[in-house]
Amino acid sequence: MFKKNISISSTHQLSGKDGKELRRSALKAFPSLSEEQLTALLPGKGGLVQTKLSNRCILYSLDGISPLFFDPDGRGNLLPTVYALALVPTLLPRIHTWPEVSGKVLGGADLFLQGVLQPPGGLPDFLAGSARSLAVPGNPIPFAVGKMAVSKQEALREGMKGRGLTLLHCYGDLLWQMGDKAAPNEGFTASRINPTEAAEAEAAGAAQEGDDAAAAAGAAPAGGEAAGAAAAREPGAAAAAAGAATQLGSLQLTEEGGNSSVKPAEGVAAAGTSNGGDAAAAAAIDMDALLEAAVLAGLQTLKTADLPIQTSDFYTKHMLPAKPEGTMYDLKQSKYKKLGKLLDKFEKDKVITQKVVRKQDCISAVDRSHPAYTSFAGMPGGRAGGGASTSGRGGGAGSSKVQIEYCYKAPSSLRPVFGEAGLKEKERLYNEEEVCTALAAYAAAQGLAAPDGRSVRVDHLLQGALFNKKEGQEGAAVPVADLRRRLLGKLQLHHRILRQGEQGVVEALRKGQVKPIIISAERRFGRNITTVSHVESFALAADEMAGVFQRKFQTSCSVTKLPGKEEKDHEIMMQGDLLKQVAAFLTEQYGIPKELLELKPAKGGK
């Protein structure tokens, strides 16, 4: 429910009375919650904030930083967020799935019963609609929250097939992005959830105990031992062997209405191959030296005017663009393990100064006269100074410059022009070169091309699709350039945006031309305000950008939906005349071209 754009309807701090009522509701919803845990999550001295969202969901947070509980339908049914589960992992009864499956769930997929790991003693009791958290074996912190789609009896009656857990919230979704975005532990990545290094030995022991218990009970079916052995060979699936006493079958998930299946043995084998490749790559490069160079390269592009900057933003906007092609940053493969420890090294060397701003770790100053800074010669691989890549699609993933590609979709009347592929792949998009190539191939196949290649005879299909009734006639020769222009004009124009995000390259596809971001300065309610509209055009979430602007310009922000039934974008409103500052910030930090920023100064302004 947090995969689509949502906006904040209202935010207010709870009174002492409402705070006590919230604490009572939490104790009622989570009976296992101790007084110490409750105090850690919901202190009794105020600071509790309620936020209402446009999808009727209500959030509760401490000091408005990271949401800890959410009420999905606004009816008083409290559920914990992953932030709360990171503090108290036992808030909800939990089920487990394979690390290989976790990536699909992070993408928004519901979990099918075939993907549920069964403990040696069998499934615990559960009812349809009961809340459960989802975790992977070997990682103590759940990564998702949902509700069971069926009861235990129904699941067993159906042979453990069909939908099992309906996803409500997971690590990385929009609800998660409303918080501080700190990963609960090193096993949490954007693509999947892995066992933590500290838990692997414990997980392996639990797997052995599970096998021994199943063997003692005589309950291990054929193939159980092989599944356990295969899982034990893969660290990410080692603890899954605890459920090997039960035949698990293939993993099956649904995502956006579609199904995909992964067999356990195949998933383990694929993961093992990947790990081997990573190990070989790690052996070929000094990860410590690469990361240290990335910090220095990032500092070269960091402007003093942008300080203080959150350490996470520094990594995304300055370290990632400096990454040499063909390499990957992997903090877990370095001695630092975490970004904070890497930056602490540079603070200890007095290259940078750090401080906490609104409970966020920030770089507050850079000593640009320090020998480490002045003597930096560039990243390994030849890229100096951490300059942003400007390559096209398929180039360096660390590019901070927005890339725009225009493409076309063929209506049903023109799909034959694109051959058999066009008839089969109805949703396929073509760039301009592919459109011209398809037209030339169609003309050649139908015998319509002139010997000199400069014109094409119009057949019945081209006449009906590209020309009005009063212009041209079937069989007439038309210059190739004119025919190309007409064909492109009849296709449905789309544009694809490629932008470097916090977790890799963000891609957004929209119909029509790119809408420019409109930045307006005006006076409302007797005060100067600045509004920013259509940030969604560049794959930016309005709610997230409102938080960025609020921190950057130290001003209050609000988000509202733009008027119009067909309009899906939002307007961000902030106090103060920040027209030029916002424009410069969007260009420098997000790579948005100046020509796609439409500035509207206040009347009488410049």
Side-chain angles (χ1 to χ4, degrees), residues 7 40 61 105 120 128 152 183 189 249 293 297 307 360 372 377 382 404 422 499 525 538:
S7 59
S61 58
V105 178
K152 175 184 175 180
T189 69
L307 298 173
Q360 298 289 330
I404 304 172
R499 177 182 60 77
F525 320 116
F538 296 90

Side-chain angles (χ1 to χ4, degrees), residues 54-140:
S54 57
N55 62 353
R56 297 185 179 180
C57 179
I58 300 176
L59 310 180
Y60 297 96
S61 58
L62 180 60
D63 296 325
I65 299 176
S66 294
L68 296 173
F69 295 97
F70 70 103
D71 180 355
D73 50 15
R75 297 179 181 178
N77 301 314
L78 281 185
L79 290 172
T81 67
V82 177
Y83 288 109
L85 291 171
L87 297 173
V88 186
T90 58
L91 274 175
L92 285 179
R94 97 179 53 168
I95 58 176
H96 290 85
T97 190
W98 282 281
E100 293 84 354
V101 176
S102 64
K104 294 291 185 181
V105 178
L106 294 179
D110 291 335
L111 181 69
F112 267 47
L113 289 168
Q114 296 94 316
V116 176
L117 285 168
Q118 299 187 46
L123 287 174
D125 289 333
F126 55 83
L127 298 175
S130 58
R132 290 292 184 274
S133 63
L134 181 63
V136 299
N139 195 317

